[in-house]
Amino acid sequence: MSLNKKLFLLLFVLIVAVLVGFILRFEGEVRRQSINDVGDRLSVALHAQLEREKEDALRIALVLSHNPLIVQALRKEEEDWDYAILDEAMEGLNKHTATLVRAQIITPEYAVFARSWDNAYAGMPLEDSRSDLDYFKTKKIPRVSIEVGRRLGIKATVPLFDGRQLAGFVEVLQFFDATTAFFREFGVDLYVLLDDAYYNTAVLMQNNMTIGSYIVANRGHNAAHLKTLERVDMKRLRQNRALRLENTVCFFEPMHNAEGKLLGAYVMVMDQEQMELLRAVNENLSIFINFSRRDLYDIVKKEALEEQIYRSRYDKALLYLKDTVPEEDKELFIQEAREMLESYSKEELIALILKHKNAKKIEGEIR
């Protein structure tokens, strides 16, 4: 083989190696960025949805606290009367809410006085598991937070007064049912995980499913992905906040109570394909918050149809990152893009041009 041919072959191999390296680096960066983008959106959506659950619970607790019959029952120590009052009030509320609402009346001594869902535990002391109620020793304003009691949940607590004297508390409890259902509509499985350090406190959760050193708290979780989570290194997931396992992506969000104490985590699991659809919906992080569920479903469906104008996901990623290519790699990028676009028909190229012409990044201040 002549020297020129050897040099040509060497140069060809070098160019191919550079192109392959560039493509692999490019694809890896696209994948990491996609996961990070979706993780950011899920985090915003999760906290927004939890705030909705808190607001709903607090609103109902405040409504119940204005019922004068409850304070009268506490004053007369008529538990059966208070249970009947609660039962009647909650029956009306449950007719107009998507999830079952649970409420309870607690005495100033931190004992159960009455519960809307049963009256079997009247008189049961809560002092050992409800240290959060000590908040009302110095404050009189209502409180809503995620707390560990006999179960982990959202607790909206309103103090009741007989004159100036504390008569007890009315409390509404939520157990992440609405948030779990919200994410399920988008193909995201939510797992609310309590650190097993609270095993002795959360006595009603001791028979729940476990994942590593966590207890699964939400009852409406998808059992199908539990096997997936059992294979996940939870320590690594906690450190990286997101991990891809085969065709599944897991996201980690720490869970804190009102004092900022770490209680456990929220883990969201979804298929890779569904993640790509959600990533493509919109670059605006408020998409999960401001759109109704029906609107978001329609957008996801629309984006899935628009995906058809690309021959592959690589083609789409190549065009979307055209403005982020480093100066030293632009020549290789242009060559790669030109070769890719030459395989498209005239109609397909027009569709691509129109799509990218109308794609704009929205910037501004959230008020």
Side-chain angles (χ1 to χ4, degrees):
M1 185 182 292
S2 66
L3 181 60
N4 287 339
K5 287 184 177 180
K6 289 181 179 179
L7 289 174
F8 176 79
L9 181 60
L10 181 62
L11 181 61
F12 177 78
V13 171
L14 182 61
I15 292 174
V16 170
V18 170
L19 282 173
V20 170
F22 170 74
I23 292 172
L24 290 176
R25 186 180 68 177
F26 180 78
E27 288 182 335
E29 184 59 34
V30 169
R31 189 179 299 115
R32 283 191 295 273
Q33 189 60 47
S34 296
I35 292 174
N36 290 338
D37 287 348
V38 172
D40 288 341
R41 297 183 204 182
L42 289 176
S43 176
V44 172
L46 173 66
H47 289 287
Q49 185 61 26
L50 289 172
E51 286 304 312
R52 289 192 190 102
E53 278 210 66
K54 289 179 182 179
E55 289 172 6
D56 289 344
L58 182 58
R59 189 180 299 113
I60 295 171
L62 287 169
V63 169
L64 291 173
S65 71
H66 284 84
N67 189 332
L69 296 178
I70 292 177
V71 174
Q72 290 180 35
L74 280 164
R75 185 191 305 141
K76 297 179 180 180
E77 298 184 355
E78 293 285 348
E79 294 146 347
D80 291 339
W81 184 24
D82 222 358
Y83 172 70
I85 295 167
L86 268 181
D87 185 55
E88 182 179 353
M90 300 314 293
E91 183 179 354
L93 286 169
N94 286 328
K95 286 180 180 178
H96 304 287
T97 55
T99 57
L100 178 66
V101 178
R102 291 178 171 84
Q104 64 182 7
I105 307 300
I106 302 173
T107 69
E109 295 77 31
Y110 302 173
V112 174
F113 189 72
R115 282 178 168 170
S116 64
W117 63 97
D118 68 56
N119 209 28
Y121 291 95
M124 180 182 67
L126 299 174
E127 189 173 6
D128 292 340
S129 60
R130 295 298 306 277
S131 59
D132 57 289
L133 291 173
D134 291 341
Y135 164 90
F136 295 100
K137 290 181 177 179
T138 56
K139 297 180 178 63
K140 296 182 179 181
I141 59 175
R143 182 176 190 264
V144 58
S145 64
I146 295 172
E147 297 292 343
V148 182
R150 292 164 66 84
R151 282 185 63 185
L152 173 71
I154 295 170
K155 297 176 173 64
T157 312
V158 179
L160 300 171
F161 293 93
D162 188 2
R164 292 188 176 183
Q165 184 177 358
L166 180 68
F169 310 91
V170 61
E171 188 168 73
V172 170
L173 300 93
Q174 302 277 34
F175 298 111
F176 311 103
D177 298 327
T179 301
T180 303
F182 174 82
F183 280 102
R184 186 184 298 119
E185 291 194 20
F186 306 124
V188 181
D189 292 324
L190 174 68
Y191 299 86
V192 181
L193 307 180
L194 177 66
D195 193 302
D196 64 4
Y198 297 96
Y199 178 85
N200 291 330
T201 301
V203 294
L204 297 181
M205 294 172 53
Q206 290 177 350
N207 292 325
N208 287 19
M209 297 288 297
T210 59
I211 299 173
S213 59
Y214 295 100
I215 304 168
V216 181
N218 55 328
R219 295 168 298 183
H221 63 268
N222 183 0
H225 273 135
L226 286 176
K227 293 292 183 183
T228 302
L229 289 178
E230 287 173 357
R231 294 187 289 124
V232 172
D233 184 339
M234 296 301 289
K235 182 178 180 181
R236 187 175 165 219
L237 177 59
R238 183 173 67 249
Q239 292 171 343
N240 296 342
R241 303 294 289 274
L243 283 178
R244 191 163 67 95
L245 186 67
E246 298 171 355
N247 295 322
T248 304
V249 185
C250 304
F251 299 91
F252 183 99
E253 189 73 17
M255 175 174 55
H256 300 89
N257 65 5
E259 283 73 40
K261 187 176 181 180
L262 187 65
L263 301 179
Y266 308 98
V267 172
M268 290 161 281
V269 183
M270 62 196 308
D271 295 334
Q272 176 78 24
E273 183 177 352
Q274 184 67 16
M275 190 203 75
E276 291 295 336
L277 285 176
L278 290 179
R279 183 191 64 79
V281 167
N282 199 301
E283 290 185 359
N284 189 348
L285 295 184
S286 65
I287 185 71
F288 276 101
I289 304 169
N290 297 327
F291 282 76
S292 71
R293 297 176 185 178
R294 184 70 239 179
D295 291 336
L296 187 53
Y297 172 77
D298 290 339
I299 292 172
V300 170
K301 185 169 66 175
K302 177 176 178 290
E303 286 290 334
L305 293 174
E306 289 181 353
E307 289 281 320
Q308 296 176 8
I309 68 175
Y310 299 97
R311 295 282 180 83
S312 70
R313 289 180 180 173
Y314 174 74
D315 290 358
K316 180 180 178 181
L318 192 69
L319 292 179
Y320 267 93
L321 293 183
K322 62 183 183 299
D323 297 324
T324 64
V325 179
E327 193 65 33
E328 63 269 22
D329 293 329
K330 278 195 173 179
E331 187 173 344
L332 284 173
F333 173 82
I334 291 171
Q335 182 181 349
E336 180 76 7
R338 183 180 291 115
E339 291 176 0
M340 181 268 290
L341 291 172
E342 284 176 354
S343 66
Y344 281 71
S345 68
K346 179 180 177 181
E347 290 75 16
E348 289 173 330
L349 288 173
I350 291 172
L352 287 173
I353 291 169
L354 290 174
K355 181 173 178 62
H356 283 270
K357 183 178 180 180
N358 292 327
K360 295 188 179 296
K361 184 175 181 180
I362 300 173
E363 295 182 348
E365 183 179 357
I366 299 174
R367 297 182 182 275

